[in-house]
């Protein structure tokens, strides 16, 4: 079992980790009434006060519309409202001054506080959206595009993506000189048919674009993934459904460095939020089984994986750096989920 030296540095780090989780919860509660609502000048001032209180960076909340309209997908690809049995394309108007997430997830400090950059546009915008009855699958919103940026930049040669959506990433990949072909695995035939009919004809490219109708889980094998130079998994809607699906991918123990996962850092925060109080419980010599049984179902499953991992570990943690390694190191986090 992992062990700790009782010293002032570890004491303080444990406290800071737990405090940052408390801060995080308070921050989310404080901004809840403002997100997705139209800001008045008064509510904008109140919100800026909150951001200052938590030291969240904000260079003004008003975003230049060009950040959206300059994006080639937003500029060039258009579609009308279309309905199928399972999904539909929808043109939705977002009212000016509506406060939105402009990106996914930025960390602040070295503990567990993080935030999503917030902002609004000063004019109404039209967003073309792919929805099903429960969720918004994809739109060319700034947060979607910036959160895929890493995958966009790393894409080269033969690219594979898991999850078609409205083909934003495939479109942007195909514009890159160093991308040779794009393959997509998508499990909803209606999503594929809509794309083939309304969007693909607008892709002015001679490069190979192949869509495989299938479940991404079945294609997540070393043999298949090795056929590509770069792979990007993006078949979840947010961190909420993403955690379970990402965990299933990790359990497959495919270890390839050319595979990336949309919003992985955000997804891993849920796990970090279990590891920190788990290690604190151990440090305080309190009961791990009481801690685990106090959690909801999904967290309990994760906490059991955390427990399994640290039971096998024989390290003695003596410094803040060593403790933070077990909270933030991606290899550790992936290994925990893979069990
Ligand atoms: C967030 S969207 C992908 C957005 C895409 N990257 C883009 O640029 O437009 C997720 C897509 O994954 C699909 N999907 C969900 N679960 C899947 C699965 N198990 N296998 C394959 N596709 C899946 C959904 O139908 C949806 O089209």
């Amino acid at each position: 079992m992992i062990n700790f030296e009782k010293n002032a540095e570890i004491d303080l780090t444990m406290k800071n980790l737990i405090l940052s989780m408390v801060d995080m919860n308070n921050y989310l509660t404080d901004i809840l009434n403002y997100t997705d609502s139209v800001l008045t000048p008064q509510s904008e001032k109140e919100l800026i006060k909150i951001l200052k209180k938590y030291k969240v960076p904000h260079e003004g909340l008003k975003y230049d519309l060009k950040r959206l309209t300059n994006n080639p997908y937003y500029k060039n690809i258009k579609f009308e409202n279309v309905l199928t049995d399972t999904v539909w394309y929808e043109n939705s108007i977002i009212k000016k001054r509506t406060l939105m997430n402009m990106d996914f997830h930025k960390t602040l400090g070295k503990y567990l506080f993080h935030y999503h950059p917030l902002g609004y546009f000063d004019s109404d915008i039209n967003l073309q959206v792919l929805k099903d009855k429960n969720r918004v699958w994809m739109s060319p919103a700034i947060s979607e595009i910036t959160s895929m940026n890493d995958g966009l930049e790393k894409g080269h040669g033969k690219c594979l993506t898991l999850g078609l959506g409205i083909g934003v990433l495939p479109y942007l990949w195909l514009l890159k000189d160093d991308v040779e072909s794009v393959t997509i695995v998508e499990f909803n035939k209606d999503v594929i048919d809509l794309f083939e009919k309304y969007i693909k004809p607008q892709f002015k490219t001679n490069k190979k674009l192949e869509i495989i109708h299938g479940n991404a889980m079945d294609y997540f094998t070393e043999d298949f993934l090795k056929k590509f130079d770069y792979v990007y998994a993006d078949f979840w809607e947010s961190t909420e459904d993403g955690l379970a699906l990402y965990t299933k991918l990790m359990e497959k123990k495919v270890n390839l460095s050319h595979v990336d996962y949309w919003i992985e850092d955000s997804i891993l925060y849920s796990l970090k939020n279990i590891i920190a109080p788990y290690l604190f419980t151990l440090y305080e010599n309190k009961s791990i089984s009481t801690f685990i049984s106090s959690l909801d179902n999904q967290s309990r499953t994760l906490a059991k994986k955390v427990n399994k991992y640290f039971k096998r570990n024989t390290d003695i943690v003596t410094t803040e750096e060593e403790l933070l390694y077990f909270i933030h190191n991606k290899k550790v986090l992936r290994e925990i989920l893979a069990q």
Side-chain angles (χ1 to χ4, degrees):
M1 180 64 105
I2 192 163
N3 232 307
F4 303 92
E5 189 182 285
K6 290 259 175 201
N7 68 36
E9 189 173 328
I10 297 290
D11 251 16
L12 189 62
T13 310
M14 288 287 186
K15 270 188 200 121
N16 283 336
L17 280 166
I18 302 300
L19 278 179
S20 67
M21 286 174 65
V22 174
D23 259 3
M24 189 65 233
N25 270 333
N26 293 340
Y27 169 69
L28 291 178
T29 311
D30 285 359
I31 62 162
L32 195 64
N33 287 337
Y34 300 89
T35 33
D36 296 326
S37 66
V38 175
L39 285 187
T40 62
Q42 176 57 28
S43 59
E44 182 171 357
K45 273 191 203 146
E46 291 163 10
L47 177 64
I48 288 177
K49 256 195 199 159
I50 296 173
L51 298 178
K52 279 190 179 145
K53 177 176 159 196
Y54 292 94
K55 301 190 177 66
V56 170
H58 59 284
E59 298 150 24
L61 294 169
K62 189 165 111 185
Y63 269 56
D64 186 349
L65 194 59
K66 285 207 183 89
R67 290 186 59 177
L68 181 67
T69 53
N70 278 349
N71 180 272
Y73 187 97
Y74 189 86
K75 208 167 16 184
N76 300 331
I77 306 295
K78 307 284 171 217
F79 51 84
E80 299 303 319
N81 297 338
V82 202
L83 194 70
T84 75
D85 285 345
T86 65
V87 284
W88 59 95
Y89 284 173
E90 188 178 301
N91 278 291
S92 52
I93 303 290
I94 302 196
K95 287 260 165 245
K96 68 177 180 181
R97 295 185 64 82
T98 302
L99 189 73
M100 297 177 275
N101 283 334
M102 291 298 192
D103 197 351
F104 271 81
H105 189 98
K106 303 260 176 254
T107 42
L108 195 62
K110 52 186 168 175
Y111 305 108
L112 289 169
F113 194 91
H114 57 111
Y115 67 98
H116 292 212
L118 295 167
Y120 63 79
F121 296 114
D122 218 5
S123 45
D124 291 357
I125 56 167
N126 181 22
L127 265 194
Q128 290 157 311
V129 178
L130 171 69
K131 281 185 177 175
D132 68 18
K133 60 180 183 307
N134 302 314
R135 53 191 151 191
V136 174
W137 268 123
M138 187 61 187
S139 75
I142 289 201
S143 62
E144 297 284 357
I145 292 167
T146 44
S147 59
M148 290 190 309
N149 213 27
D150 203 31
L152 173 60
E153 275 173 15
K154 284 162 101 173
H156 67 279
K158 295 186 181 67
C159 294
L160 167 74
T161 187
L162 306 174
L164 167 62
I166 51 176
V168 178
L169 181 64
Y171 180 75
L172 298 173
W173 265 347
L174 289 165
L175 292 179
K176 290 180 58 174
D177 287 342
D178 58 346
V179 168
E180 189 184 314
S181 67
V182 172
T183 303
I184 302 157
V185 177
E186 166 63 48
F187 80 159
N188 186 332
K189 186 75 171 67
D190 286 340
V191 171
I192 298 176
D193 290 345
L194 286 185
F195 176 82
E196 296 276 6
K197 188 161 176 203
Y198 297 100
I199 298 183
K200 196 175 157 193
Q202 300 179 62
F203 281 30
K204 308 275 183 257
T205 177
N206 296 321
K207 295 179 189 175
K208 181 182 150 202
L209 172 61
E210 185 192 6
I211 304 177
I212 299 171
H213 180 209
N215 190 331
M217 287 295 173
D218 299 334
Y219 285 84
F220 201 78
T221 63
E222 288 210 1
D223 283 351
F224 183 68
L225 302 175
K226 271 185 180 160
K227 293 182 178 161
F228 301 90
D229 299 301
Y230 184 68
V231 179
Y232 197 70
D234 176 8
F235 58 100
W236 36 89
E237 183 204 6
S238 67
T239 49
E240 272 160 49
D241 59 333
L243 177 61
L245 294 168
Y246 173 85
T247 302
K248 281 202 180 119
L249 294 182
M250 290 304 116
E251 284 168 356
K252 287 179 176 269
K253 298 184 173 52
V254 165
N255 219 341
L256 297 171
S257 61
H258 72 299
V259 181
D260 283 328
Y261 309 85
W262 180 59
I263 59 168
E264 182 181 20
D265 289 342
S266 299
I267 289 175
L268 287 173
Y269 252 79
S270 315
L271 179 59
K272 295 179 185 191
N273 279 326
I274 292 172
I275 299 176
Y278 169 89
L279 292 179
F280 187 59
T281 307
L282 271 185
Y283 185 65
E284 296 264 284
N285 282 324
K286 299 230 170 89
S287 156
I288 287 298
S289 56
T290 310
F291 166 71
I292 294 179
S293 53
S294 72
L295 301 170
D296 63 47
N297 273 346
Q298 192 183 30
S299 304
R300 202 175 304 142
T301 311
L302 291 179
K304 284 181 185 160
K305 284 180 182 271
V306 170
N307 192 31
K308 200 167 166 193
Y309 178 87
F310 286 109
K311 261 181 156 173
R312 275 196 284 111
N313 190 296
T314 51
D315 287 330
I316 301 172
V317 177
T318 61
T319 64
E320 172 168 83
E321 197 185 337
E322 286 166 8
L323 177 50
L324 292 183
Y325 170 83
F326 287 111
I327 304 280
H328 292 306
N329 185 276
K330 201 174 276 182
K331 204 168 150 270
V332 170
L333 301 171
R334 284 179 172 186
E335 247 177 67
I336 290 175
L337 293 180
Q339 301 170 106

